């Protein structure tokens, strides 16, 4: 059963962005939001969900419209589709999880200019059918999410000793002289953690090729 | 007056678009191979930001905000949910028309900035700038100053990375760290130095 799934096109399209074609660490797309929202785990997860939703939906819609869109105005059409999806996601977040929405501030809106979405619409959805485009969107959303969640977890764990807002570093370690790393919550740490993450991932890919 | 200087210094150094707020990273990483390209892109960003942020300010304050449509007699209309789509449309349209005007009237400038302009429509620092302007409630002049100086901050950051990258060709870096990895770490270190400015009280 599993082997059968592994051979399908959907599986390939879905898995590529999770491994060798990771949008963030290999193709270097969509870095802005990956850095900005990863101070804690919770906003990272919410961002991933919003992003995956927008990516899957916009990929599907662009793919459905791909034979109707005139070539020379396709960028504007894509932007309009993406922006409408982002408005949906933003209104949803504002209605149901207002505190996280406040924390993410402008970055939900900035999903519009996230190069992953535009890039996938251009590179994949314009040339493939809606079903495959959906899988591609889902895979890319999760590939992006993987990095966001790991970086968010590292930064929250070392920066505040918490995960999902719950203290996980026990008190006796602090008594032994452990101190939270204040730098982790500031901007520079985001760059450095992602840099190191990309290093590890590239090194693993290089190893597996050898 | 002093308020404007504050806004300018704050958006160039303390809240640098790129290094503190992480906006415009894609083009920042893609176009920092040499100093000349980086400078061209930086100038284009300053240019587009200084134009689009005031335009978006006007649209926001006369069309979208709650009660903004009073001047045509619609008191209770709140169109704020349309912010994203109108802002990005304004930006795309402005970039396109600026490019056409430039081609017609200042061909020399177009020759040097032209290729960067289409890239900028999807640069998040431009949309981010407009969204921050809306969130912080600047007035018209403040918005213009904010746009201009955010652009300058962006230019400074990309120039710094580009000039380091030019030297980096001669460095011996582990295979897996090359390219994206080392760029992020260097950007982190530049961001660390910019953090020093946040100690300045204005």
């Amino acid at each position: 059963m599993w082997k059968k799934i592994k051979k399908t096109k959907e599986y390939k399209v879905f898995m590529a962005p999770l491994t060798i074609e990771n949008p963030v660490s290999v193709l270097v797309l969509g870095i802005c939001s990956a850095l900005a929202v990863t101070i804690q785990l919770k906003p990272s997860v919410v961002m991933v969900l919003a992003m995956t939703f927008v990516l899957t939906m916009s990929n599907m819609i662009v793919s459905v419209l791909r034979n109707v869109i005139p070539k020379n105005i396709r960028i504007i059409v894509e932007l309009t589709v993406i922006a409408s999806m982002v408005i949906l996601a933003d209104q949803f977040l504002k209605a149901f999880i207002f505190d996280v929405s406040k924390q993410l501030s402008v970055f939900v809106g900035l999903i519009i200019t996230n190069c992953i979405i535009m890039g996938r619409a251009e590179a994949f959805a314009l040339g493939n059918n809606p079903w495959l485009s959906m899988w591609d969107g889902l895979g890319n959303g999760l590939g992006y999410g993987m990095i966001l969640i790991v970086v968010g977890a590292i930064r929250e764990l070392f920066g505040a000793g918490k995960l999902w807002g719950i203290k996980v570093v026990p008190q006796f370690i602090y008594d032994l002289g452990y101190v939270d790393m204040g730098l982790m919550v500031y901007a520079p740490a985001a760059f450095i953690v992602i840099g190191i993450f990309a290093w590890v991932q590239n090194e693993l890919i290089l190893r597996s090729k050898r | 007056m002093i308020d404007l200087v504050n806004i300018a210094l704050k958006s160039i150094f303390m809240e640098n678009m790129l290094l503190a707020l992480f906006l415009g990273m894609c083009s920042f990483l893609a176009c920092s191979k040499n100093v000349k390209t980086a400078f061209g892109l930086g100038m284009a960003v300053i240019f587009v930001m200084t134009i689009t942020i005031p335009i978006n300010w006007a649209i926001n304050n006369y069309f979208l905000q709650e009660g903004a449509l009073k001047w045509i007699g619609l008191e209770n209309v709140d169109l704020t949910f349309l912010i994203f789509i109108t802002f990005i449309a304004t930006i795309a349209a402005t970039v396109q028309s600026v490019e056409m005007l430039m081609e017609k009237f200042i061909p020399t400038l177009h020759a040097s900035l032209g290729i960067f302009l289409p890239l900028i429509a999807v640069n998040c620092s431009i949309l981010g700038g407009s969204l921050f302007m809306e969130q912080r409630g600047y007035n018209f002049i403040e918005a213009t100053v904010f746009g201009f100086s955010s652009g300058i901050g962006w230019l400074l950051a990309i120039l710094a990375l580009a000039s380091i990258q030019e030297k980096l060709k001669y460095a011996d870096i582990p295979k897996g760290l090359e390219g994206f990895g080392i760029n992020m770490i260097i950007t982190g270190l530049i961001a660390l130095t910019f953090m020093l400015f946040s100690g300045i009280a204005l």
Side-chain angles (χ1 to χ4, degrees), chain A residues 25 28 30-32 35-36 83 87 90-91 105-107 109-110 112-113 115 183 186-188 191 195 198-199 202-203, chain B residues 18-19 21-26 29 81 84-85 88 122 124 128 131-132 135 175-177 180-181 184 187-188 191-192 195:
Chain A
S25 63
V28 197
I31 310 290
C32 322
L35 293 163
I87 292 176
D90 182 57
Q91 297 290 321
S105 75
V106 303
F107 289 97
L110 286 170
I112 299 173
T113 49
C115 351
L183 181 66
Y186 291 111
F191 290 107
W199 183 14
N202 281 339
E203 201 66 49
Chain B
L18 236 169
L19 299 169
L21 301 170
F22 315 103
L23 297 180
M25 290 300 300
C26 301
L29 290 167
F81 68 93
F84 298 145
I85 205 160
I88 194 73
V122 286
C124 12
L131 292 176
F132 275 121
Q135 205 177 50
K175 252 266 154 299
L177 189 60
F180 177 54
M184 290 316 275
T187 316
L192 207 53
M195 255 178 75

Side-chain angles (χ1 to χ4, degrees), chain A residues 32-76:
Chain A
C32 322
S33 53
L35 293 163
V37 300
T38 51
I39 294 179
Q40 287 163 8
L41 194 55
K42 199 172 173 191
S44 314
V45 172
V46 173
M47 185 69 182
V48 170
L49 293 179
M51 175 78 185
T52 312
F53 166 76
V54 174
L55 191 52
T56 316
M57 291 305 283
S58 72
N59 243 10
M60 255 166 70
I61 295 174
V62 169
S63 175
V64 168
L65 295 174
R66 75 186 184 282
N67 296 322
V68 197
I69 303 175
K71 269 277 168 291
N72 44 358
I73 58 157
R74 65 173 196 284
I75 304 257
I76 303 257

Side-chain angles (χ1 to χ4, degrees), chain A residues 97-106, chain B residues 135:
Chain A
I97 21 178
F98 189 70
D99 53 327
V100 183
S101 162
K102 263 254 124 38
Q103 210 176 351
L104 289 171
S105 75
V106 303
Chain B
Q135 205 177 50

Side-chain angles (χ1 to χ4, degrees), chain B:
Chain B
M1 190 62 210
I2 197 75
D3 285 352
L4 296 182
V5 176
N6 274 352
I7 289 178
L9 285 177
K10 216 169 150 189
S11 43
I12 295 176
F13 295 111
M14 281 84 112
E15 286 175 8
N16 188 299
M17 269 289 172
L18 236 169
L19 299 169
L21 301 170
F22 315 103
L23 297 180
M25 290 300 300
C26 301
S27 30
F28 170 77
L29 290 167
C31 293
S32 55
K33 295 282 179 296
N34 67 62
V35 175
K36 212 168 154 236
T37 337
F39 189 74
L41 185 66
M43 291 309 279
V45 168
I46 297 183
F47 195 74
V48 173
M49 275 236 212
T50 323
I51 296 176
T52 55
I53 293 185
I55 293 181
N56 278 340
W57 181 89
I59 290 179
N60 185 29
N61 281 279
Y62 290 110
F63 291 101
L64 301 179
Q65 285 300 322
E66 197 177 353
L69 281 170
K70 219 188 295 175
W71 55 278
I72 51 165
L74 299 165
E75 300 258 346
N76 299 319
V77 180
D78 181 7
L79 293 176
T80 32
F81 68 93
L82 284 176
I83 269 184
F84 298 145
I85 205 160
T86 34
F87 278 10
I88 194 73
T90 322
I91 290 168
T94 320
V95 170
Q96 198 78 63
S97 39
V98 164
E99 198 191 352
M100 287 193 289
L101 285 178
M102 223 187 223
E103 202 174 5
K104 184 97 170 89
F105 296 110
I106 352 176
T108 44
L109 190 62
H110 182 261
S112 57
L113 290 187
I115 45 164
F116 300 116
L117 283 172
L119 266 182
I120 283 181
V122 286
N123 185 323
C124 12
S125 59
I126 313 282
L127 181 61
S130 291
L131 292 176
F132 275 121
M133 168 276 292
E134 186 260 338
Q135 205 177 50
R136 293 176 191 171
Y138 288 137
N139 65 33
F140 183 73
I141 296 170
E142 282 169 345
T144 316
V145 172
F146 170 71
F148 180 67
S149 42
S150 297
I152 291 184
W154 203 88
L155 173 74
L156 275 182
I158 193 170
L159 275 184
L161 182 69
S163 31
I164 293 176
Q165 272 209 342
E166 280 196 347
K167 302 283 173 222
L168 214 61
K169 285 176 203 149
Y170 309 108
D172 197 12
I173 307 164
K175 252 266 154 299
L177 189 60
E178 261 174 18
F180 177 54
I182 190 75
N183 279 346
M184 290 316 275
I185 293 178
I186 290 173
T187 316
L189 296 179
I190 301 175
L192 207 53
T193 53
F194 267 72
M195 255 178 75
L196 293 180
F197 292 112
S198 60
I200 303 172
L202 283 178

Side-chain angles (χ1 to χ4, degrees), chain A residues 164-186:
Chain A
W164 204 270
I166 300 161
K167 207 89 188 151
V168 287
V169 175
Q171 189 57 43
F172 74 89
I173 297 186
Y174 286 104
D175 295 338
L176 290 173
Y178 175 80
V179 180
D180 284 331
M181 191 174 167
L183 181 66
M184 275 291 168
V185 292
Y186 291 111

